[in-house]
Amino acid sequence: TLESGLQLQEVNVTLDPDTADPDCLKISKDQKSITGVTGWSHKSSVLGCQMFSSGRHFWDVIVGGTRGWNVGVTTKPVNFKNVLVETREWQVSECGGDYMALSPSKCCTLVLSERPTRIRIFLNCEGGQVSFFDAKTAALLHTFSDASLVGETLLPYFYLGAGPCMTLL
């Protein structure tokens, strides 16, 4: 289930505009939604302002009818302008109607019974787990169990192609 009996802290994630390329992504004034500007680019990612190194946390992302997105967590980069080169990510993505689970050591296709519109991301820092749920149906999409997550400082990670919009709740 979504809650699975663990003590979880719901997080009000906001986007960090300093980690986004303004030529690729437009961030709303309240820092809760992003719109893709230029299409597929390695610079079309943005991080959340919140950092986690302990505890169990969750947040929701509305992807709606959006195509071309990735959501998940990433390790804290040394240089926030070079996120993809300096970090490791654990994420679920959609591209052209296909869904994938991606991590530093694993890439697998997800077979989903329906297209998710709201993704819930659960992070268990001490347990070294990141889980993704369809928040509407409570269906588990994927769980990464990775000991290398333990002891890391992790941040919410978002990637978006051109045109679509993604909103954080």
Side-chain angles (χ1 to χ4, degrees):
T1 67
L2 288 177
E3 280 69 34
S4 66
L6 301 173
Q7 291 286 18
L8 297 169
Q9 179 182 355
E10 184 173 5
V11 180
N12 180 20
V13 172
T14 54
L15 301 165
D16 183 349
D18 293 336
T19 65
D21 184 331
D23 294 331
C24 296
L25 296 174
K26 180 181 176 189
I27 298 176
S28 64
K29 287 183 183 179
D30 67 359
Q31 295 175 250
K32 297 293 281 180
S33 65
I34 53 177
T35 303
V37 177
T38 60
W40 293 103
S41 166
H42 68 282
K43 296 180 179 182
S44 294
S45 62
V46 61
L47 302 180
C49 292
Q50 295 68 23
M51 295 185 196
F52 310 102
S53 56
S54 64
R56 295 178 177 103
H57 313 275
F58 75 94
W59 57 94
D60 287 2
V61 182
I62 295 177
V63 292
T66 301
R67 296 271 185 185
W69 52 261
N70 298 32
V71 297
V73 297
T74 186
T75 54
K76 182 181 175 186
V78 174
N79 175 352
F80 282 89
K81 292 294 184 187
N82 204 11
V83 171
L84 286 179
V85 175
E86 296 183 5
T87 62
R88 296 175 293 130
E89 294 96 26
W90 293 262
Q91 56 193 331
V92 167
S93 73
E94 187 283 341
C95 181
D98 295 324
Y99 296 90
M100 303 286 291
L102 310 159
S103 77
S105 60
K106 183 179 180 180
C107 175
C108 64
T109 300
L110 301 177
V111 179
L112 307 181
S113 58
E114 65 180 81
R115 184 178 180 182
T117 58
R118 181 172 171 171
I119 307 287
R120 180 163 290 173
I121 302 161
F122 280 85
L123 173 62
N124 178 344
C125 294
E126 288 85 5
Q129 286 189 325
V130 181
S131 296
F132 300 86
F133 291 86
D134 180 331
K136 187 176 111 184
T137 66
L140 175 65
L141 303 176
H142 191 78
T143 295
F144 293 108
S145 294
D146 190 336
S148 71
L149 284 163
V150 177
E152 287 282 358
T153 299
L154 301 166
L155 294 88
Y157 172 88
F158 310 93
Y159 179 92
L160 192 59
C165 181
M166 183 184 293
T167 303
L168 308 177
L169 297 178

